[in-house]
Each structure stands twice: as C-alpha cells, then as structure tokens.
Amino acid sequence: MKNSIFYALILLTLFCTACYEDKGNYAYQDINEVTIKVNSTYGVMKQDEAIDYTITPEIVQTTGDDNFSNLKFEWYVNTSSDQQKGEVLSTDPTLTIHIDPAAPNFKTKYYIRFYVTDTSTEAVEMFPITLEVINPYENAWMVLHDIDNHAEVGSIEYLGGEMKVTPNALSRERGEPLKGLSVSLGSRKQDLYYPSYWGGLDVQTQFYVNTTNEEESGLINQADHFLLVANWSKIIFPEDFNGYIPNSVQFVDSNTGSAMISNGKVFQGSGYSYLMFGMYPNEEVKADNANYYITKAFGMPHTAIGYDNIGHRFLHLYIQNNYWSGSSTFDPSTERGNMEYIPAAPENAADPNNIGSDKEFVDFVGGYWYDKTAMANWQRYGVYAYMFSKEIAKSYIYVFHAYPMTSSYDETDNAPVYALYTINTPNGITKDTPMTSGKAYNNILFYAVGNKVYKLDFGVTNGLSTLIYQHPDSEAEISCLQMAYEGYVGYEDEDKKNETYGHPYSRCMAVGVNLPDNKGEVIILQLNNAGKIDEDAKYPAIQTHTGFGKIKDITFI
C-alpha cells in the first residue's frame, strides 16, 4: 500500500566563528537534525454525531528537545481547493479539526498546509495534506456471501490510503443478520437526484440486495445502517408484480432509468423514480412470438438490451420511452415500457432478431468504441454479447452500439450490430462462465475458469486468451468477476473518484474466489491499458481480502 508519507530533515546550520588574529580558534555549535514524518492523506469515516479528528506528526530532534521550543508550527486549512492556502487553524505541533455532519457548512474534504519553521535559522518546510471525510460504504466494493446458513453483505472500503474489510457489514450495522440465502446485488450509479429524493436517500449509488427471502430483498440505504427502504413488492406496481420470484433477480442500470430482470420478466424504472412498472413486448414482437424469457440484460446509454432465450433473439429494452414524473406513489395510468426489435439496419453485421437455437448465451459485458472520432462520449459506449455454439467449438461475440437503437439515422453510426466476431471457443467456457469488461477496453473481455482469470482479445483472428491472474489454491473456484465501472459514467465524476483512489476505476476488477473449505476471498486487480496487472499505486495492484463465506456476487457503489 502506498499512502504517501512525508519525511523532512531540517538541519540547523553549523555555526562557526573565527578570530582573524587568532586563526584556528573556532567555536562550534552542534547540528540539530529535525525529522518530521506525516501522511499526505488521512481518512475518517463520517459519523452520526460530531467528532474531533487530530493529526499528530512524528517529530524527532537529535537534541532530544521534545517541547519544540525552537520550532514554529502553522496549520493552514481550507475546504475549497488545494490551490488555496486557507486560514491558520492551529500553531501547535498537532491539528484538531471539528467535524460536524449537521453543520450548515459541513465539507467532506480539508486541504491542509503544515509549515514547520526552525526559528534559529528560519529554515521552513511545508507539507501538503488532505483529510477526507468519507461516507460509509462510498466508493467501496460490496460482497454478497453466505455464512452460517444465511446471506451476509460485506464491504471493502478505502480510507485515506488504508483498506478496511468488514465481512459482516450489514449484520453489524443492523444488529441482526439476513434470513435468506444469497441471490444477487445491484447498483444504480447514474442520474440519482430524483430517485434518491423520493426514497429519502443521500447516497452516490443506489444499492440493491437480493436474497431468497422476498421480504428483505430490495433497495437498501447503506448510509443509514443498511436500512431497507423498500422491498420489491413496494418497488414494483402491484398489477405488474406477478412474475417476480426472489431467487432470480438481476438489476440493470442506465442513465435514463433502470430495470430489473426476474424469472424472465422485465420491470422498468424511470429517471425520476425508484418505482418500477412491468415492461412488455410491443405488437411487432408479440406477433412473431408472444412468449419470451429474458435471461440477462445490460444497461446502455439511454436504453438497455436483453436476450430472449425462448425466441433466440436480442431485444431492445426501450427504457427511454418511459420517463414518467418523479413520485413515491404509483400512477396506474403510467404507460408501460416496450420490448422492441433491434432495428434491422442494412449495415448490421448480423441479424439480432434471429440468433438460432444452436447457440448458448453466456453474458453481456460493457464495451467502448475507440475507433471513432468526433463523437460524444456517451455515444461510444456499447455492449459485447458472448455466445458459443452447442455443436462446434466456436464462439460469437456481438458488438452492439446504443446510439443507433434510440436515435434517428446517422450515417456515422448507423448499425446497432456494429460487428460480429467468430473465434475458437476457449477451454472451459460454459453458460455460467463469469465475464466482465468496461470502457477501458476495445474488443477485449475478461473471463474466469477455475482459479484463473483470462483476458480475451476477440478482435484477433480466432481470438487470443491470455492468463492474467491465477489464485494460488489450485482447487479454488472463481464465482464472479466485476469491473468497478462497467457501463456508462460521466467523465467528470469518474476523474474525481479516480484521483481519490489513485487508479482508474474503469480498470479495477473484483474477483470473487470460493475455496474448498467454503470460505471466500475477494481479489482486487488493478489493470493497465493492455488489460494486464498494473504496477502498485496508492493501493497494491493485487489485493487479497479474506474473511468472507461462499461468495455469490460483488458490486461497486
């Protein structure tokens, strides 16, 4: 771990005086070495009540003087910018900051300049320091695992250069455990002002926990002791609730809304509310095949895509067409969202509406279009859909672009199915193989088999798999892979968070590992632009976090 620690050595000048008439008659004063050690970053968890936080540098002088009578201390503090000096808050060797979350001027970041002056020589050393007040479980990995025959939610947090692992975060905060077994986690990271307002939430990510117990599954307020805001029976409109089952739940995030997949059905949220209504095939889709079963889905800018395992087709889950007003109560007259065919553009690389029953769908993962210039950032986001043949050792990766699904014809981006790659199926891939990717990688995805994580360059002829990580236990099984940012996020928010963490979140991958003794570990991999393990930064490039039970799912909030 690399939380920068400043060391400074201030040398008091050697004074020597000589008499011109009496050469060689010198008087010496010993050199006093002052060593100061202080961190560059400190982190403190936001509490319910006001607290005092003290920074205490380690100061040692060779003279042994521990009252520092020869040193002058000045602590300048401001909450606006690290480019400003601020006001003097202390002239002591230590700095204490009063942090009151209820104060009208409460801030979460303090920029500090610590000046130490040797009064006998006027030598000055300055130390730039940042103190972060961190909301609980913010920019953290959340881990769903089973322990003692019930589900548990653990956390991995990063606090001012330190890593904090709490395997039993939910039960510790609530004072009681969950009752059901693990199913899945979900997170909504985009355009949360109104959905959070109606839910009484003050969080940067909405967090969903799903177990086999229907009553305890739904929207959770991680900032308020994991309070259950609403379970799915309160989130989904009662007339559309039929079809939900607790042991089959996948959450889908998009910047214009959200969706939840359960037992093949689709439930759609809007950009202005956390409530959901049913989403149904439109007349065209129903005319061809009214039966459907959406196995998995993925959020794209302004919309989403799903795979229908009955009709063997990809369907456009048109989230954008259902932007109802924000509310915490249902309006029965709300227009339901549609599942539509993906536009059959002549430029499509393949027919997305007729995949064939000879292929097995594995997963959707996030992608990005690096080849295109003069295009808005959000238009570059896409999705990779991985399938393999049931008859021959071939796999197929469909590359989807969101923009042509929702916008009028644009000759610069007119094919929803931008490309189709056919490769040799890598050894060990099944319909349950964990996969992930993100906007940092073009025509690259990551998958796990056994105790190993591979990078797959599917744009290379026949595909190229490269081992990037192997767990030391040969009997370990990787249960899930998750990039911190897999879908669309705004550049500004991402850059700000990257600066705090010290490595781009779009290149941070969580690996859920289950060991033979039913214990679990979470491995965090910080990757480089080539998709391989990067060098250590503020935190290690390979992190091993233990103390979990059997891991089911991981998400980043």
Side-chain angles (χ1 to χ4, degrees):
M1 182 167 41
K2 288 189 176 180
N3 174 28
S4 299
I5 300 175
F6 293 122
Y7 294 87
L9 183 65
I10 302 176
L11 300 180
L12 299 193
T13 305
L14 170 65
F15 289 100
C16 31
T17 61
C19 178
Y20 180 78
E21 290 83 3
D22 185 11
K23 293 180 181 180
N25 184 16
Y26 295 94
Y28 293 92
Q29 180 175 327
D30 291 338
I31 294 176
N32 179 30
E33 295 183 354
V34 182
T35 304
I36 300 170
K37 176 183 175 182
V38 64
N39 290 349
S40 62
T41 304
Y42 291 86
V44 58
M45 188 67 69
K46 180 181 175 183
Q47 305 296 319
D48 294 335
E49 306 295 334
I51 62 169
D52 289 328
Y53 187 84
T54 301
I55 298 175
T56 304
E58 182 180 323
I59 305 173
V60 178
Q61 301 188 93
T62 56
T63 62
D65 184 0
D66 56 4
N67 62 11
F68 311 128
S69 58
N70 60 309
L71 300 178
K72 175 185 175 183
F73 304 102
E74 293 174 299
W75 298 85
Y76 288 84
V77 181
N78 87 90
T79 57
S80 300
S81 168
D82 59 0
Q83 301 302 308
Q84 299 179 20
K85 191 172 184 180
E87 298 180 354
V88 176
L89 199 61
S90 173
T91 56
D92 295 327
T94 62
L95 171 67
T96 298
I97 295 179
H98 185 69
I99 301 172
D100 184 2
N105 62 344
F106 170 70
K107 302 292 184 180
T108 59
K109 188 167 285 189
Y110 296 82
Y111 302 99
I112 303 165
R113 297 185 186 185
F114 177 40
Y115 289 86
V116 181
T117 304
D118 184 327
T119 57
S120 61
T121 66
E122 297 302 319
V124 181
E125 192 74 31
M126 191 276 284
F127 306 86
I129 302 168
T130 301
L131 170 62
E132 300 175 51
V133 183
I134 302 169
N135 287 325
Y137 315 108
E138 190 169 284
N139 298 324
W141 294 100
M142 308 305 290
V143 184
L144 182 65
H145 60 110
D146 287 321
I147 191 167
D148 297 332
N149 295 316
H150 67 83
E152 178 62 89
V153 177
S155 64
I156 302 168
E157 300 174 271
Y158 300 88
L159 309 173
E162 301 295 328
M163 297 183 289
K164 178 184 177 183
V165 180
T166 311
N168 63 335
L170 185 143
S171 60
R172 189 193 66 171
E173 292 274 1
R174 284 189 179 179
E176 61 180 10
L178 294 166
K179 298 176 182 178
L181 296 174
S182 297
V183 174
S184 66
L185 297 177
S187 59
R188 182 175 179 179
K189 298 180 173 69
Q190 307 175 58
D191 294 341
L192 295 181
Y193 177 80
Y194 287 106
S196 292
Y197 172 80
W198 293 114
L201 301 170
D202 182 18
V203 294
Q204 71 172 17
T205 302
Q206 287 184 358
F207 181 47
Y208 295 80
V209 175
N210 302 295
T211 76
T212 54
N213 185 303
E214 178 179 327
E215 295 301 316
E216 65 186 9
S217 300
L219 176 59
I220 303 294
N221 187 350
Q222 67 272 21
D224 187 12
H225 308 288
F226 288 88
L227 173 72
L228 178 64
V229 177
N231 61 25
W232 291 110
S233 67
K234 294 181 174 63
I235 295 173
I236 299 171
F237 184 57
E239 292 182 12
D240 296 329
F241 189 68
N242 183 36
Y244 161 82
I245 60 173
N247 63 355
S248 172
V249 176
Q250 181 206 352
F251 189 82
V252 179
D253 183 22
S254 172
N255 64 317
T256 52
S258 60
M260 189 268 281
I261 314 300
S262 180
N263 193 32
K265 307 297 183 182
V266 182
F267 305 93
Q268 177 196 357
S270 89
Y272 292 131
S273 176
Y274 67 86
L275 301 178
M276 290 186 171
F277 289 84
M279 175 181 274
Y280 303 98
N282 66 6
E283 293 303 319
E284 182 183 13
V285 172
K286 285 193 296 184
D288 288 342
N289 189 342
N291 296 318
Y292 67 93
Y293 191 99
I294 304 300
T295 54
K296 290 186 179 180
F298 195 90
M300 306 168 75
H302 306 306
T303 193
I305 187 172
Y307 181 71
D308 173 17
N309 200 44
I310 291 179
H312 305 293
R313 56 192 174 180
F314 294 101
L315 290 177
H316 179 198
L317 310 183
Y318 197 9
I319 289 177
Q320 193 178 22
N321 73 340
N322 204 348
Y323 225 69
W324 63 82
S325 298
S327 176
S328 57
T329 58
F330 291 105
D331 178 0
S333 66
T334 298
E335 179 184 356
R336 305 300 190 266
N338 288 327
M339 286 183 272
E340 306 174 353
Y341 277 133
I342 293 170
E347 296 83 3
N348 277 346
D351 183 359
N353 306 314
N354 184 17
I355 303 303
S357 59
D358 61 330
K359 299 180 182 66
E360 187 78 60
F361 179 75
V362 180
D363 209 352
F364 293 110
V365 299
Y368 196 75
W369 193 12
Y370 275 97
D371 301 332
K372 186 66 177 173
T373 59
M375 178 176 283
N377 173 43
W378 70 267
Q379 289 180 238
R380 298 169 182 264
Y381 283 81
V383 171
Y384 305 142
Y386 190 103
M387 311 189 76
F388 64 85
S389 172
K390 300 176 183 178
E391 301 170 354
I392 59 176
K394 292 292 182 180
S395 288
Y396 311 93
I397 297 92
Y398 292 75
V399 179
F400 291 95
H401 286 179
Y403 184 66
M405 293 188 195
T406 60
S407 303
S408 58
Y409 185 83
D410 182 345
E411 63 180 12
T412 65
D413 187 12
N414 52 21
V417 188
Y418 177 73
L420 172 62
Y421 293 91
T422 301
I423 65 171
N424 296 329
T425 300
N427 292 333
I429 285 188
T430 70
K431 65 181 181 63
D432 299 316
T433 295
M435 291 183 173
T436 191
S437 192
K439 74 146 197 163
Y441 302 105
N442 185 42
N443 294 341
I444 290 174
L445 60 79
F446 302 88
Y447 68 94
V449 175
N451 67 332
K452 300 173 182 177
V453 179
Y454 296 88
K455 179 188 75 166
L456 174 60
D457 292 271
F458 58 80
V460 176
T461 302
N462 292 322
L464 176 63
S465 290
T466 305
L467 178 66
I468 65 167
Y469 172 79
Q470 180 172 347
H471 192 275
D473 189 331
S474 61
E475 297 184 20
E477 287 288 333
I478 295 173
S479 62
C480 53
L481 296 178
Q482 182 62 55
M483 208 71 76
Y485 288 169
E486 191 166 354
Y488 171 73
V489 291
Y491 271 140
E492 182 178 349
D493 289 342
E494 182 181 3
D495 290 344
K496 186 185 301 182
K497 295 171 185 177
N498 290 346
E499 179 182 352
T500 300
Y501 178 73
H503 188 84
Y505 283 129
S506 57
R507 293 195 272 113
C508 291
M509 182 198 300
V511 182
V513 182
N514 289 326
L515 304 175
D517 58 1
N518 285 325
K519 293 181 179 179
E521 297 179 353
V522 177
I523 312 299
I524 304 299
L525 304 178
Q526 294 177 175
L527 307 178
N528 60 21
N529 286 322
K532 297 182 179 180
I533 308 298
D534 208 343
E535 297 180 354
D536 290 348
K538 185 175 182 178
Y539 298 95
I542 300 178
Q543 306 163 22
T544 301
H545 304 293
T546 62
F548 302 98
K550 189 174 181 179
I551 295 172
K552 182 70 172 182
D553 200 6
I554 301 174
T555 194
F556 186 81
I557 63 174

